Amino acid sequence: LFDASGKRLSVRELEAQVYASKSSEIHSWEEELQSRYGTKADIKEKKGKGTVTFRFYSEEDLRALIQQLLRSE
């Protein structure tokens, strides 16, 4: 992986650049979602559109997450 200047990037450096490009509001929402649902949440937004992604690591995790989402206000 390389940046715009041709410098080789590690995965961690790339993650840091992506993280830095998100607004503080989006970071705050991700943290709130992670706290509320107990799993990693990722928000990708561009020009007012995007996706919210939750991670799960087993079918049991998925079922618990879906139940929590359906119970949410």
Side-chain angles (χ1 to χ4, degrees):
L1 301 169
F2 299 91
D3 69 7
S5 69
K7 177 187 170 212
R8 188 176 184 93
L9 297 174
S10 71
V11 172
R12 297 289 177 235
E13 289 171 323
L14 181 60
E15 287 174 342
Q17 285 186 4
V18 170
Y19 189 81
S21 69
K22 291 183 181 179
S23 73
S24 61
E25 185 175 41
I26 288 179
H27 285 297
S28 177
W29 290 336
E30 286 176 332
E31 290 173 6
E32 189 174 336
L33 289 169
Q34 287 170 187
S35 175
R36 183 172 191 165
Y37 295 107
T39 192
K40 180 155 176 48
D42 185 50
I43 299 172
K44 296 200 185 309
E45 185 270 336
K46 189 171 186 176
K47 297 181 183 178
K49 298 179 182 180
T51 60
V52 177
T53 305
F54 290 98
R55 300 251 174 122
F56 59 91
Y57 302 94
S58 68
E59 188 173 329
E60 183 179 323
D61 287 350
L62 173 60
R63 290 181 187 280
L65 177 60
I66 295 295
Q67 287 178 350
Q68 284 182 290
L69 289 167
L70 293 176
R71 282 194 304 252
S72 295
E73 298 175 25

